[in-house]
Coordinates of all heavy atoms in Angstrom, one line a residue:
L1 N 131.9 27.6 -81.9 CA 131.4 28.5 -82.9 C 130.1 28.0 -83.5 O 130.0 26.8 -83.8 CB 132.4 28.7 -84.1 CG 133.6 29.5 -83.8 CD1 134.5 29.5 -85.1 CD2 133.3 30.9 -83.5
D2 N 129.2 28.9 -83.7 CA 127.9 28.5 -84.5 C 128.2 28.9 -85.9 O 128.8 29.9 -86.2 CB 126.8 29.3 -84.0 CG 126.3 28.8 -82.6 OD1 126.5 27.6 -82.3 OD2 125.8 29.6 -81.8
F3 N 127.7 28.1 -86.8 CA 127.9 28.4 -88.3 C 126.5 28.6 -88.9 O 125.5 28.1 -88.5 CB 128.6 27.3 -89.0 CG 130.0 27.2 -88.6 CD1 130.5 26.4 -87.6 CD2 131.0 28.0 -89.3 CE1 131.8 26.3 -87.3 CE2 132.3 27.9 -89.0 CZ 132.7 27.1 -87.9
C4 N 126.5 29.4 -89.9 CA 125.3 29.7 -90.7 C 125.5 29.4 -92.1 O 126.4 29.8 -92.8 CB 124.9 31.2 -90.5 SG 123.4 31.7 -91.4
L5 N 124.6 28.5 -92.6 CA 124.6 28.2 -94.1 C 124.0 29.4 -94.8 O 123.1 30.0 -94.4 CB 123.7 27.0 -94.3 CG 123.2 26.8 -95.8 CD1 124.4 26.3 -96.6 CD2 122.1 25.8 -95.8
F6 N 124.7 29.8 -95.9 CA 124.1 31.0 -96.6 C 124.1 30.9 -98.1 O 123.5 31.7 -98.7 CB 124.7 32.3 -96.1 CG 126.1 32.5 -96.6 CD1 126.4 33.1 -97.8 CD2 127.1 32.1 -95.8 CE1 127.7 33.3 -98.2 CE2 128.4 32.3 -96.2 CZ 128.7 32.9 -97.4
A7 N 124.7 29.9 -98.7 CA 124.6 29.7 -100.1 C 124.9 28.3 -100.6 O 125.8 27.7 -100.0 CB 125.5 30.7 -100.8
I8 N 124.3 27.9 -101.7 CA 124.6 26.6 -102.3 C 125.0 26.8 -103.7 O 124.3 27.6 -104.4 CB 123.3 25.7 -102.1 CG1 123.0 25.5 -100.7 CG2 123.6 24.4 -102.9 CD1 121.7 24.7 -100.4
C9 N 126.0 26.2 -104.2 CA 126.5 26.3 -105.5 C 125.5 25.7 -106.5 O 125.1 24.6 -106.3 CB 127.9 25.7 -105.7 SG 128.6 25.9 -107.3
K10 N 125.3 26.4 -107.6 CA 124.4 25.9 -108.7 C 125.2 25.7 -110.0 O 124.6 25.8 -111.1 CB 123.3 26.9 -108.9 CG 122.3 27.0 -107.7 CD 121.8 25.6 -107.3 CE 120.7 25.2 -108.2 NZ 120.1 23.9 -107.8
V11 N 126.5 25.5 -109.9 CA 127.3 25.3 -111.1 C 126.9 24.0 -111.8 O 126.7 23.0 -111.1 CB 128.8 25.2 -110.8 CG1 129.6 24.8 -112.0 CG2 129.3 26.5 -110.2
K12 N 126.6 24.0 -113.1 CA 126.3 22.8 -113.8 C 127.3 22.4 -114.8 O 127.1 21.5 -115.6 CB 124.9 22.9 -114.4 CG 123.8 23.3 -113.4 CD 122.5 22.6 -113.8 CE 121.5 23.0 -112.8 NZ 120.9 22.0 -112.1
K13 N 128.5 23.0 -114.7 CA 129.6 22.7 -115.6 C 130.7 22.0 -114.8 O 130.5 21.6 -113.7 CB 130.1 23.9 -116.2 CG 129.0 24.7 -117.0 CD 129.6 26.0 -117.5 CE 128.6 26.8 -118.3 NZ 129.0 28.1 -118.7
N14 N 131.8 21.8 -115.4 CA 133.0 21.3 -114.8 C 133.4 22.2 -113.7 O 133.1 23.4 -113.7 CB 134.1 21.0 -115.8 CG 133.8 19.9 -116.7 OD1 133.0 19.0 -116.4 ND2 134.3 20.0 -117.9
I15 N 134.3 21.8 -112.8 CA 134.9 22.6 -111.8 C 135.6 23.8 -112.4 O 136.5 23.6 -113.2 CB 135.8 21.8 -110.9 CG1 135.0 20.6 -110.2 CG2 136.4 22.7 -109.8 CD1 135.9 19.7 -109.5
P16 N 135.2 25.0 -112.1 CA 136.0 26.2 -112.6 C 137.4 26.3 -112.0 O 137.5 25.9 -110.8 CB 135.1 27.4 -112.3 CG 134.3 26.9 -111.1 CD 134.1 25.4 -111.2
P17 N 138.3 26.8 -112.7 CA 139.6 27.1 -112.1 C 139.5 28.0 -110.9 O 138.6 28.8 -110.9 CB 140.5 27.7 -113.2 CG 139.7 27.3 -114.5 CD 138.3 27.2 -114.1
P18 N 140.5 28.0 -110.0 CA 140.5 29.0 -108.9 C 140.4 30.4 -109.4 O 140.9 30.7 -110.5 CB 141.8 28.7 -108.2 CG 142.1 27.3 -108.5 CD 141.6 27.1 -109.9
N19 N 139.8 31.3 -108.6 CA 139.7 32.7 -108.9 C 138.7 33.0 -110.0 O 138.7 34.1 -110.5 CB 141.0 33.4 -109.1 CG 141.9 33.4 -107.9 OD1 141.5 33.7 -106.8 ND2 143.1 33.0 -108.1
K20 N 137.9 32.1 -110.3 CA 136.8 32.3 -111.3 C 135.5 32.5 -110.6 O 135.3 32.1 -109.4 CB 136.7 31.1 -112.3 CG 137.9 30.9 -113.1 CD 138.0 32.0 -114.2 CE 139.1 31.7 -115.1 NZ 139.2 32.7 -116.2
K21 N 134.5 33.1 -111.2 CA 133.2 33.4 -110.6 C 132.4 32.1 -110.6 O 132.3 31.4 -111.6 CB 132.5 34.4 -111.4 CG 133.1 35.8 -111.4 CD 132.2 36.7 -112.2 CE 133.0 38.0 -112.5 NZ 132.2 38.9 -113.4
S22 N 131.8 31.8 -109.5 CA 131.0 30.6 -109.4 C 129.6 31.1 -109.0 O 129.4 32.0 -108.3 CB 131.5 29.7 -108.3 OG 132.8 29.1 -108.6
K23 N 128.6 30.4 -109.6 CA 127.2 30.8 -109.4 C 126.6 30.1 -108.1 O 126.8 28.9 -107.9 CB 126.3 30.4 -110.6 CG 126.7 31.1 -111.8 CD 125.9 30.7 -113.0 CE 126.3 31.5 -114.2 NZ 125.5 31.1 -115.4
F24 N 125.9 30.9 -107.3 CA 125.3 30.4 -106.1 C 123.9 30.9 -106.0 O 123.5 31.9 -106.7 CB 126.0 30.9 -104.9 CG 127.4 30.2 -104.7 CD1 128.5 30.7 -105.3 CD2 127.5 29.1 -103.9 CE1 129.7 30.1 -105.2 CE2 128.8 28.5 -103.7 CZ 129.9 29.0 -104.4
Y25 N 123.1 30.3 -105.1 CA 121.8 31.0 -104.7 C 121.9 31.1 -103.2 O 122.4 30.2 -102.5 CB 120.6 30.3 -105.3 CG 120.2 29.0 -104.6 CD1 119.3 28.9 -103.5 CD2 120.7 27.8 -105.1 CE1 119.0 27.7 -103.0 CE2 120.3 26.6 -104.6 CZ 119.5 26.5 -103.5 OH 119.1 25.3 -102.9
Q26 N 121.4 32.2 -102.7 CA 121.6 32.7 -101.4 C 120.5 32.1 -100.5 O 119.3 32.0 -100.8 CB 121.6 34.2 -101.4 CG 121.7 34.8 -100.1 CD 120.4 35.5 -99.6 OE1 119.3 35.0 -99.9 NE2 120.5 36.6 -98.9
K27 N 120.9 31.7 -99.3 CA 119.9 31.3 -98.2 C 119.9 32.3 -97.1 O 118.9 32.5 -96.5 CB 120.4 29.9 -97.6 CG 120.4 28.8 -98.6 CD 119.1 28.6 -99.3 CE 118.3 27.6 -98.6 NZ 117.0 27.3 -99.3
N28 N 121.0 33.0 -96.8 CA 121.1 34.0 -95.8 C 122.0 35.1 -96.3 O 123.0 34.8 -97.0 CB 121.6 33.5 -94.5 CG 120.6 32.5 -93.8 OD1 119.5 32.9 -93.4 ND2 121.0 31.3 -93.7
K29 N 121.8 36.3 -95.8 CA 122.6 37.5 -96.3 C 124.1 37.4 -95.9 O 124.4 36.9 -94.8 CB 122.0 38.8 -95.7 CG 122.8 40.0 -96.1 CD 122.2 41.2 -95.5 CE 123.1 42.5 -95.9 NZ 122.5 43.7 -95.4
F30 N 125.0 37.8 -96.7 CA 126.4 38.0 -96.4 C 126.8 39.2 -97.1 O 126.2 39.7 -98.1 CB 127.3 36.8 -96.7 CG 127.6 36.6 -98.1 CD1 128.8 37.0 -98.6 CD2 126.7 35.9 -99.0 CE1 129.1 36.9 -99.9 CE2 127.1 35.8 -100.3 CZ 128.3 36.2 -100.8
S31 N 128.0 39.8 -96.7 CA 128.5 41.0 -97.3 C 129.9 40.9 -97.7 O 130.7 40.1 -97.2 CB 128.3 42.2 -96.3 OG 127.0 42.3 -95.9
K32 N 130.3 41.9 -98.6 CA 131.7 42.0 -99.0 C 132.6 42.1 -97.7 O 132.2 42.9 -96.8 CB 131.9 43.2 -99.9 CG 133.2 43.3 -100.5 CD 133.2 44.5 -101.4 CE 134.5 44.7 -102.1 NZ 134.5 45.8 -103.1
G33 N 133.7 41.4 -97.6 CA 134.6 41.5 -96.4 C 134.3 40.4 -95.4 O 135.1 40.2 -94.5
D34 N 133.1 39.7 -95.5 CA 132.9 38.6 -94.6 C 133.8 37.4 -94.8 O 134.2 37.1 -95.9 CB 131.4 38.1 -94.7 CG 130.4 39.0 -94.1 OD1 130.8 39.9 -93.4 OD2 129.2 38.8 -94.4
R35 N 134.2 36.8 -93.7 CA 135.1 35.6 -93.8 C 134.2 34.4 -94.0 O 133.3 34.1 -93.2 CB 135.9 35.4 -92.5 CG 136.8 34.2 -92.5 CD 138.2 34.7 -92.6 NE 139.1 33.5 -92.6 CZ 139.8 33.1 -93.6 NH1 139.8 33.9 -94.7 NH2 140.5 32.0 -93.6
L36 N 134.4 33.7 -95.1 CA 133.5 32.5 -95.5 C 134.3 31.2 -95.5 O 135.5 31.2 -95.5 CB 132.9 32.8 -96.9 CG 132.3 34.2 -97.2 CD1 131.9 34.3 -98.6 CD2 131.2 34.4 -96.2
E37 N 133.6 30.1 -95.7 CA 134.2 28.8 -95.8 C 133.5 28.0 -96.8 O 132.3 28.0 -96.8 CB 134.2 28.1 -94.4 CG 134.9 26.8 -94.4 CD 135.0 26.2 -93.1 OE1 133.9 26.1 -92.4 OE2 136.1 25.7 -92.7
L38 N 134.2 27.5 -97.8 CA 133.7 26.6 -98.8 C 133.7 25.2 -98.4 O 134.8 24.7 -98.0 CB 134.5 26.8 -100.1 CG 134.1 25.9 -101.3 CD1 132.7 26.3 -101.8 CD2 135.1 25.9 -102.4
L39 N 132.6 24.5 -98.4 CA 132.5 23.2 -97.9 C 132.2 22.3 -99.2 O 131.2 22.5 -99.8 CB 131.4 23.0 -96.9 CG 131.5 23.8 -95.6 CD1 130.2 23.6 -94.8 CD2 132.7 23.4 -94.9
T40 N 133.1 21.4 -99.4 CA 133.0 20.4 -100.5 C 133.0 19.0 -99.9 O 133.8 18.7 -99.0 CB 134.2 20.5 -101.5 OG1 134.2 21.8 -102.0 CG2 134.1 19.5 -102.6
P41 N 132.0 18.2 -100.2 CA 131.9 16.8 -99.7 C 133.3 16.1 -99.8 O 133.9 16.1 -100.8 CB 130.8 16.1 -100.5 CG 130.0 17.2 -100.9 CD 130.9 18.4 -101.2
G42 N 133.7 15.5 -98.7 CA 134.9 14.7 -98.7 C 136.2 15.5 -98.5 O 137.3 15.0 -98.5
K43 N 136.1 16.9 -98.3 CA 137.2 17.7 -98.1 C 137.1 18.6 -96.8 O 136.0 18.7 -96.4 CB 137.4 18.7 -99.3 CG 137.8 18.1 -100.6 CD 138.0 19.1 -101.6 CE 138.5 18.5 -102.9 NZ 138.8 19.5 -103.9
V44 N 138.2 19.1 -96.3 CA 138.2 20.0 -95.2 C 137.7 21.4 -95.7 O 138.1 21.8 -96.8 CB 139.6 20.1 -94.6 CG1 139.6 21.1 -93.5 CG2 140.0 18.7 -94.1
G45 N 136.9 22.1 -94.9 CA 136.5 23.4 -95.3 C 137.7 24.3 -95.7 O 138.7 24.3 -95.0
Q46 N 137.5 25.2 -96.7 CA 138.5 26.1 -97.2 C 138.1 27.5 -96.9 O 137.1 28.0 -97.5 CB 138.8 25.8 -98.6 CG 139.2 24.4 -98.9 CD 139.3 24.1 -100.4 OE1 140.4 24.2 -101.0 NE2 138.2 23.7 -101.0
G47 N 138.8 28.3 -96.1 CA 138.4 29.6 -95.8 C 138.9 30.7 -96.8 O 139.9 30.5 -97.4
F48 N 138.1 31.8 -96.9 CA 138.5 32.9 -97.7 C 137.6 34.1 -97.3 O 136.7 34.0 -96.6 CB 138.4 32.6 -99.2 CG 137.0 32.4 -99.7 CD1 136.3 33.4 -100.3 CD2 136.4 31.2 -99.5 CE1 135.0 33.2 -100.7 CE2 135.1 31.0 -99.9 CZ 134.4 32.0 -100.5
V49 N 138.0 35.3 -97.8 CA 137.2 36.5 -97.6 C 136.4 36.9 -98.9 O 137.0 36.9 -99.9 CB 138.1 37.7 -97.2 CG1 137.3 39.0 -97.1 CG2 138.9 37.4 -95.9
A50 N 135.1 37.2 -98.7 CA 134.3 37.6 -99.8 C 134.8 38.9 -100.3 O 134.7 39.9 -99.5 CB 132.8 37.6 -99.5
E51 N 135.3 39.0 -101.5 CA 135.7 40.3 -102.0 C 135.0 40.8 -103.3 O 134.6 41.9 -103.4 CB 137.2 40.2 -102.3 CG 138.1 40.0 -101.1 CD 139.6 39.9 -101.4 OE1 140.0 40.1 -102.6 OE2 140.3 39.6 -100.5
N52 N 134.7 39.9 -104.2 CA 134.1 40.3 -105.4 C 132.8 39.5 -105.6 O 132.8 38.3 -105.9 CB 135.0 40.0 -106.6 CG 136.2 40.9 -106.6 OD1 136.1 42.1 -106.4 ND2 137.4 40.3 -106.7
I53 N 131.6 40.2 -105.3 CA 130.3 39.6 -105.4 C 129.6 40.3 -106.6 O 129.7 41.6 -106.7 CB 129.5 39.9 -104.1 CG1 130.3 39.5 -102.9 CG2 128.2 39.1 -104.2 CD1 129.8 40.0 -101.6
F54 N 128.8 39.6 -107.4 CA 128.1 40.1 -108.5 C 126.7 39.6 -108.5 O 126.4 38.5 -108.2 CB 128.8 39.7 -109.8 CG 130.2 40.1 -109.8 CD1 131.2 39.2 -109.3 CD2 130.7 41.3 -110.4 CE1 132.6 39.5 -109.4 CE2 132.0 41.6 -110.4 CZ 133.0 40.8 -109.9
D55 N 125.7 40.5 -108.9 CA 124.4 40.1 -109.0 C 124.2 39.2 -110.3 O 125.1 39.0 -111.0 CB 123.4 41.3 -109.0 CG 123.5 42.2 -110.2 OD1 124.1 41.8 -111.2 OD2 123.0 43.4 -110.1
A56 N 122.9 38.8 -110.5 CA 122.6 38.0 -111.7 C 123.0 38.6 -113.0 O 123.2 37.9 -114.0 CB 121.2 37.5 -111.6
D57 N 123.0 39.9 -113.1 CA 123.4 40.6 -114.3 C 124.9 40.9 -114.5 O 125.3 41.5 -115.4 CB 122.6 42.0 -114.4 CG 121.1 41.8 -114.4 OD1 120.7 40.8 -115.1 OD2 120.4 42.6 -113.8
G58 N 125.6 40.5 -113.5 CA 127.1 40.7 -113.5 C 127.6 42.0 -112.9 O 128.7 42.3 -113.0
S59 N 126.6 42.8 -112.3 CA 127.0 44.1 -111.7 C 127.6 43.8 -110.3 O 127.0 43.0 -109.6 CB 125.8 45.0 -111.6 OG 125.3 45.3 -112.9
P60 N 128.7 44.5 -109.9 CA 129.2 44.4 -108.6 C 128.2 44.8 -107.5 O 127.5 45.8 -107.7 CB 130.4 45.3 -108.6 CG 130.7 45.7 -110.0 CD 129.4 45.5 -110.7
I61 N 128.1 44.0 -106.4 CA 127.3 44.4 -105.3 C 128.0 44.3 -104.0 O 129.1 43.6 -103.9 CB 126.0 43.5 -105.3 CG1 126.4 42.0 -105.3 CG2 125.1 43.8 -106.4 CD1 125.2 41.0 -105.1
E62 N 127.5 44.9 -102.9 CA 128.2 44.9 -101.6 C 127.7 43.7 -100.7 O 128.4 43.3 -99.8 CB 127.9 46.2 -100.9 CG 128.6 47.4 -101.6 CD 130.1 47.3 -101.5 OE1 130.7 47.0 -100.4 OE2 130.8 47.5 -102.5
S63 N 126.5 43.2 -101.0 CA 125.9 42.1 -100.2 C 124.8 41.4 -101.0 O 124.5 41.8 -102.1 CB 125.3 42.7 -98.9 OG 124.1 43.5 -99.2
T64 N 124.4 40.3 -100.4 CA 123.3 39.5 -101.0 C 122.1 39.6 -100.1 O 121.8 38.7 -99.3 CB 123.7 38.0 -101.2 OG1 124.1 37.5 -99.9 CG2 124.9 37.9 -102.1
P65 N 121.3 40.7 -100.2 CA 120.2 40.9 -99.3 C 118.9 40.2 -99.5 O 118.0 40.3 -98.6 CB 120.0 42.4 -99.4 CG 120.3 42.7 -100.8 CD 121.5 41.8 -101.2
H66 N 118.7 39.6 -100.6 CA 117.3 39.1 -100.9 C 117.3 37.5 -100.8 O 118.2 36.9 -101.3 CB 116.9 39.5 -102.4 CG 117.0 40.9 -102.6 ND1 116.2 41.9 -101.9 CD2 117.9 41.7 -103.4 CE1 116.5 43.1 -102.3 NE2 117.6 43.0 -103.2
P67 N 116.2 37.0 -100.2 CA 116.1 35.5 -100.1 C 116.1 34.9 -101.5 O 115.5 35.4 -102.5 CB 114.7 35.3 -99.5 CG 114.5 36.6 -98.8 CD 115.1 37.7 -99.6
E68 N 116.8 33.7 -101.7 CA 116.9 33.0 -102.9 C 117.5 33.8 -104.0 O 117.4 33.4 -105.2 CB 115.5 32.5 -103.3 CG 114.8 31.6 -102.4 CD 115.6 30.3 -102.1 OE1 116.1 29.7 -103.1 OE2 115.7 29.8 -101.0
M69 N 118.3 34.8 -103.7 CA 119.0 35.6 -104.7 C 120.0 34.8 -105.4 O 120.8 34.0 -104.8 CB 119.6 36.8 -104.0 CG 120.4 37.7 -104.9 SD 121.0 39.1 -103.9 CE 121.9 40.0 -105.1
R70 N 120.1 35.0 -106.7 CA 121.1 34.3 -107.5 C 122.3 35.3 -107.6 O 122.1 36.5 -107.8 CB 120.6 34.0 -108.9 CG 119.4 33.2 -109.0 CD 119.6 31.8 -108.6 NE 118.6 30.9 -109.0 CZ 117.7 30.4 -108.2 NH1 117.6 30.8 -107.0 NH2 116.8 29.4 -108.6
F71 N 123.5 34.9 -107.4 CA 124.7 35.7 -107.5 C 125.9 34.9 -107.9 O 125.9 33.7 -107.9 CB 124.9 36.4 -106.1 CG 125.3 35.5 -105.0 CD1 126.7 35.3 -104.8 CD2 124.4 34.8 -104.3 CE1 127.1 34.4 -103.7 CE2 124.8 33.9 -103.3 CZ 126.1 33.8 -103.0
T72 N 127.0 35.6 -108.3 CA 128.2 35.0 -108.5 C 129.3 35.6 -107.6 O 129.1 36.7 -107.1 CB 128.7 35.2 -110.0 OG1 128.8 36.5 -110.3 CG2 127.8 34.5 -111.0
L73 N 130.3 34.8 -107.3 CA 131.3 35.1 -106.3 C 132.6 34.6 -106.8 O 132.7 33.4 -107.2 CB 130.9 34.5 -104.9 CG 131.9 34.7 -103.8 CD1 132.0 36.2 -103.4 CD2 131.4 33.9 -102.6
E74 N 133.7 35.4 -106.7 CA 135.0 34.9 -107.0 C 135.5 34.1 -105.8 O 135.5 34.7 -104.7 CB 135.9 36.0 -107.4 CG 135.6 36.6 -108.7 CD 136.6 37.7 -109.2 OE1 137.6 38.0 -108.5 OE2 136.3 38.3 -110.2
I75 N 135.9 32.9 -106.1 CA 136.4 32.0 -105.0 C 137.8 31.5 -105.4 O 138.0 31.0 -106.5 CB 135.4 30.8 -104.8 CG1 134.1 31.4 -104.3 CG2 136.0 29.8 -103.8 CD1 133.0 30.4 -104.0
P76 N 138.8 31.5 -104.5 CA 140.1 31.0 -104.8 C 140.3 29.5 -104.8 O 141.5 29.1 -104.8 CB 141.0 31.7 -103.7 CG 140.1 31.8 -102.6 CD 138.7 32.0 -103.1
Y77 N 139.2 28.7 -104.9 CA 139.3 27.3 -104.9 C 138.4 26.7 -106.0 O 137.4 27.4 -106.3 CB 138.9 26.7 -103.5 CG 139.6 27.3 -102.4 CD1 138.9 28.2 -101.5 CD2 140.9 27.1 -102.1 CE1 139.6 28.8 -100.4 CE2 141.6 27.6 -101.0 CZ 140.9 28.5 -100.2 OH 141.5 29.0 -99.1
P78 N 138.7 25.5 -106.4 CA 137.7 24.9 -107.3 C 136.4 24.7 -106.6 O 136.3 24.4 -105.4 CB 138.3 23.5 -107.7 CG 139.8 23.7 -107.4 CD 139.9 24.7 -106.2
V79 N 135.3 24.8 -107.4 CA 133.9 24.7 -106.8 C 133.1 23.7 -107.6 O 133.2 23.7 -108.9 CB 133.2 26.1 -106.8 CG1 131.8 26.0 -106.3 CG2 134.0 27.1 -106.0
R80 N 132.3 22.9 -107.0 CA 131.5 21.9 -107.6 C 130.0 22.2 -107.3 O 129.7 22.8 -106.3 CB 131.8 20.5 -107.2 CG 133.2 20.0 -107.6 CD 133.3 18.6 -107.3 NE 133.7 18.4 -105.9 CZ 134.1 17.3 -105.4 NH1 134.0 16.2 -106.0 NH2 134.5 17.2 -104.1
E81 N 129.1 21.8 -108.2 CA 127.7 21.9 -107.9 C 127.4 21.2 -106.6 O 127.9 20.1 -106.3 CB 126.9 21.3 -109.0 CG 125.4 21.5 -108.8 CD 124.5 21.0 -109.9 OE1 125.0 20.3 -110.8 OE2 123.3 21.3 -109.9
G82 N 126.6 21.9 -105.8 CA 126.2 21.3 -104.5 C 127.1 21.8 -103.3 O 126.8 21.6 -102.2
D83 N 128.3 22.4 -103.6 CA 129.2 22.9 -102.6 C 128.4 24.0 -101.8 O 127.5 24.6 -102.3 CB 130.4 23.5 -103.1 CG 131.5 22.5 -103.6 OD1 131.2 21.3 -103.4 OD2 132.5 22.9 -104.1
I84 N 128.8 24.2 -100.5 CA 128.1 25.1 -99.6 C 129.0 26.1 -99.1 O 130.2 25.8 -98.8 CB 127.5 24.3 -98.4 CG1 126.4 23.3 -98.9 CG2 127.0 25.2 -97.4 CD1 125.9 22.3 -97.9
L85 N 128.5 27.4 -99.0 CA 129.3 28.4 -98.3 C 128.7 28.6 -97.0 O 127.5 28.6 -96.8 CB 129.1 29.7 -99.1 CG 129.8 29.8 -100.5 CD1 129.5 31.1 -101.2 CD2 131.3 29.6 -100.4
R86 N 129.5 28.9 -96.0 CA 129.1 29.2 -94.6 C 130.0 30.2 -94.0 O 131.1 30.4 -94.5 CB 128.9 27.9 -93.8 CG 130.3 27.4 -93.4 CD 130.1 26.2 -92.4 NE 131.4 25.7 -92.0 CZ 131.5 24.7 -91.1 NH1 130.5 24.0 -90.7 NH2 132.7 24.3 -90.8
F87 N 129.5 30.8 -92.9 CA 130.3 31.7 -92.1 C 130.0 31.6 -90.7 O 128.9 31.1 -90.3 CB 130.2 33.2 -92.6 CG 128.8 33.8 -92.4 CD1 128.6 34.6 -91.3 CD2 127.8 33.6 -93.3 CE1 127.3 35.1 -91.1 CE2 126.6 34.1 -93.1 CZ 126.3 34.9 -92.0
A88 N 131.0 31.9 -89.8 CA 130.8 31.8 -88.4 C 129.9 33.0 -87.9 O 130.1 34.1 -88.3 CB 132.1 31.8 -87.6
K89 N 129.0 32.8 -87.0 CA 128.1 33.8 -86.4 C 128.9 34.5 -85.4 O 129.7 34.0 -84.7 CB 126.8 33.3 -85.9 CG 125.9 32.8 -86.9 CD 124.6 32.3 -86.2 CE 123.6 31.7 -87.1 NZ 122.4 31.3 -86.5

């Protein structure tokens, strides 16, 4: 499988509890329903489906279409600054 990097976490606080919104900035487009993987240094990748995506103002969106777009995403795992989201092409 080929993988595509598409977002890097910009959280500057403690690790949020699971199912909380985490802030990211986008490198490549992804959409609601895409199967993603959270990569944390020193851990095995954790898969999930993108369901709740929000723009910088907190409004729900269907995708992240703009380069360097800031967005938040509900993730069912703890997230740390510098974590990476990826998906299989």
Side-chain angles (χ1 to χ4, degrees):
L1 286 176
D2 290 329
F3 289 93
C4 181
L5 164 70
F6 70 89
I8 299 174
C9 183
K10 296 302 285 182
V11 173
K12 299 215 183 243
K13 300 177 184 175
N14 293 333
I15 300 170
N19 295 314
K20 294 290 183 174
K21 295 178 190 174
S22 295
K23 295 180 181 181
F24 289 87
Y25 72 92
Q26 178 251 36
K27 301 301 269 179
N28 292 294
K29 181 181 176 178
F30 77 97
S31 301
K32 187 174 181 177
D34 285 348
R35 181 113 179 111
L36 311 178
E37 186 173 46
L38 176 68
L39 301 176
T40 299
K43 293 186 177 183
V44 175
Q46 302 172 92
F48 66 99
V49 175
E51 294 180 6
N52 296 309
I53 310 167
F54 305 89
D55 67 15
D57 297 324
S59 299
I61 54 176
E62 293 294 313
S63 66
T64 59
H66 308 293
E68 299 296 320
M69 180 178 179
R70 304 292 197 254
F71 68 95
T72 56
L73 176 66
E74 288 184 4
I75 297 181
Y77 308 107
V79 178
R80 293 189 274 186
E81 183 174 12
D83 283 359
I84 295 172
L85 295 176
R86 72 177 183 178
F87 65 97
K89 291 184 183 180

